[in-house]
Amino acid sequence: MLDLALIKDGIAISSINKEDAFSISQWIEREKNYLNESSSINSIEFDEFMKRFIEYYITDNEIFLKLQNDEEIIGVLKGRVEGNELIFWFFMVGYEYRGRGLGKDIINIIIEHFYNTKGIKCFSAAVSSGNKQALRFWKSNGFEAVRITKDFFEDINDDKDLIIFKKLL
C-alpha cells in the first residue's frame, strides 16, 4: 500500500483506509445506476470491492484513492506502481462531475505527483474494449493504445478484450 494525501485546486486525493471501505463501496454502487455502458467492468459489487481493497491493503506498491470535494466523495482510483510505471486499473468519477474536465485534472495531479516524488515517467491505463467512454477519456488525455489482449475478460459476453494505453513524459 502506498499512502497518499494530496490537496490541489479544492480536490482532496487520499488513500482509502479500512474505515472508508464500506462508504466507498456504497458510493460505487450508487454511481453504477448512471453508467450507460453495457460492460460489467464499469462497476464492482461489494465482494469484489473488498477483494480489491484487501489486495491494495497488503501490497506494497498499490494505490486505492478516494477523491473528494468538500469531504464529498466524487471519485475513486485504483492503480499499481510496477518499476518505473504507474498503471491505472480502475478510475471512476461521479456522474454529476463528468464532462467538466475533473477527471483530466485528477489524472494530471496524480501524474505530476508520481513524476515529482518517484520519478515515474510512464503511465498506463487498462480498459475494457467495450467501455467506449473510458477509451475516449484516455485518448483525449494523451494516452495511446499500445496493446490489446484478446478475450481477457471471461465473465462478459461481448467486448472481452483488454486495451492498454500508455503515456510517456
Side-chain angles (χ1 to χ4, degrees):
M1 168 176 127
L2 288 173
D3 201 25
L4 186 65
L6 304 168
I7 297 177
K8 187 168 183 181
D9 300 329
I11 301 168
I13 301 170
S14 60
S15 297
I16 296 173
N17 58 48
K18 60 185 174 184
E19 292 80 20
D20 297 322
F22 186 70
S23 62
I24 298 289
S25 70
Q26 286 183 316
W27 179 85
I28 292 171
E29 183 67 24
R30 283 191 306 273
E31 284 297 315
K32 81 177 188 178
N33 295 325
Y34 298 106
L35 296 171
N36 59 5
E37 303 287 340
S38 61
S39 172
S40 64
I41 303 304
N42 291 314
S43 186
I44 54 177
E45 302 298 328
F46 181 73
D47 289 345
E48 182 64 23
F49 174 85
M50 288 310 295
K51 286 180 196 174
R52 291 182 185 197
F53 176 75
I54 291 167
E55 173 186 70
Y56 143 78
Y57 203 75
I58 64 173
T59 306
D60 288 338
N61 294 323
E62 295 274 335
I63 58 170
F64 207 172
L65 307 172
K66 62 184 174 188
L67 315 168
Q68 296 178 289
N69 184 9
D70 293 329
E71 297 188 23
E72 175 189 358
I73 298 169
I74 60 171
V76 176
L77 184 143
K78 186 171 188 308
R80 174 183 302 147
V81 174
E82 293 184 6
N84 194 30
E85 179 177 16
L86 174 59
I87 304 166
F88 299 110
W89 287 107
F90 182 81
F91 181 45
M92 180 183 229
V93 173
Y95 176 76
E96 63 191 70
Y97 296 96
R98 293 182 196 154
R100 299 178 4 192
L102 186 63
K104 178 180 185 170
D105 292 344
I106 290 166
I107 291 300
N108 286 331
I109 290 167
I110 292 169
I111 286 173
E112 179 182 317
H113 173 78
F114 278 90
Y115 175 76
N116 290 333
T117 62
K118 301 211 180 284
I120 292 178
K121 297 179 182 178
C122 181
F123 299 87
S124 298
V127 180
S128 162
S129 60
N131 191 338
K132 306 301 183 205
Q133 188 176 4
L135 296 171
R136 284 189 302 274
F137 173 81
W138 293 109
K139 286 178 187 176
S140 72
N141 285 288
F143 286 71
E144 294 182 29
V146 295
R147 186 172 76 228
I148 298 174
T149 303
K150 296 287 186 185
D151 298 323
F152 182 83
F153 301 105
E154 296 176 2
D155 59 344
I156 56 178
N157 294 330
D158 298 322
D159 304 317
K160 296 180 178 185
D161 300 342
L162 175 72
I163 301 175
I164 303 294
F165 287 88
K166 274 199 189 304
K167 180 175 186 171
L168 300 173
L169 299 185

